[in-house]
Structures are given as structure tokens and as C-alpha cells.
């Protein structure tokens, strides 16, 4: 007992490793069972905050353990989109 969502989250987050050696997150939010791909899709559709991304997934932040990871996924998605846009404009 006492393992809670944070312990489960750690195991799932480190489940797959990208080629660069950094760990990719499969599940961002254990409470809502939200995957990285869902948060990325919400960000591509215009979500710029955790609350907006979760709302786009018909969810809302529960315990808050996921907030930092969700912010990172949203920021990375917007950064990737900006890079793609710049490259297309060149």
C-alpha cells in the first residue's frame, strides 16, 4: 500500500527509451489514463495550457502529479510545430 499513482507513473514513464537515450513518456496522466499522443494531439489543435489540453481530452487534472510532464509535452509539441513551419517557409 502507499505506492499510489506516482510510483505507477514512474514505472510507465520509463517503459520505453528513445534513440537519443532520453525516456519518452507513454502515459502522462495515470488518473485520467492520458497518453502522450493525446496531449500532443490536443496541443496541435491549439491547446497551450494543461487545463486546455485535458479539456480537449474530456478530462481535467486530478492529483497534479502529471502537470510538469504535460507542460513539457505541450511545449515540445509547439516547438516542433514552429520548427516545421519555419522549415516550410524557407
Amino acid at each position: 500500500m502507499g505506492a499510489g499513482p506516482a510510483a505507477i507513473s514512474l514505472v510507465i514513464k520509463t517503459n520505453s527509451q528513445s534513440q537519443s537515450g532520453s525516456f519518452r513518456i507513454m502515459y502522462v496522466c495515470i488518473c485520467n489514463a492520458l497518453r502522450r499522443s493525446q496531449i500532443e494531439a490536443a496541443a496541435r489543435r491549439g491547446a497551450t495550457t494543461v487545463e486546455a489540453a485535458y479539456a480537449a481530452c474530456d478530462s481535467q487534472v486530478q492529483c497534479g502529479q502529471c502537470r510538469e510532464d504535460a507542460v513539457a509535452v505541450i511545449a515540445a509539441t509547439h516547438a516542433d510545430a514552429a520548427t516545421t513551419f519555419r522549415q516550410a517557409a524557407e
Side-chain angles (χ1 to χ4, degrees):
M1 313 274 287
I8 294 168
S9 178
L10 179 62
V11 172
I12 293 172
K13 285 180 188 176
T14 60
N15 198 17
S16 65
Q17 192 173 20
S18 70
Q19 290 178 338
S20 68
S22 62
F23 290 100
R24 279 192 63 104
I25 303 164
M26 286 178 49
Y27 279 88
V28 174
C29 176
I30 301 304
C31 296
N32 291 298
L34 292 177
R35 295 179 307 279
R36 178 186 184 99
S37 60
Q38 292 172 279
I39 303 300
E40 289 170 335
R44 284 192 299 273
R45 289 190 309 268
T48 58
T49 65
V50 174
E51 290 75 17
Y54 279 46
C57 299
D58 295 323
S59 299
Q60 61 187 122
V61 177
Q62 300 294 316
C63 75
Q65 292 269 326
C66 58
R67 186 174 292 278
E68 186 178 317
D69 290 334
V71 167
V73 170
I74 292 166
T77 301
H78 286 292
D80 289 346
T83 299
T84 300
F85 181 76
R86 275 194 309 276
Q87 289 172 345
E90 292 176 349

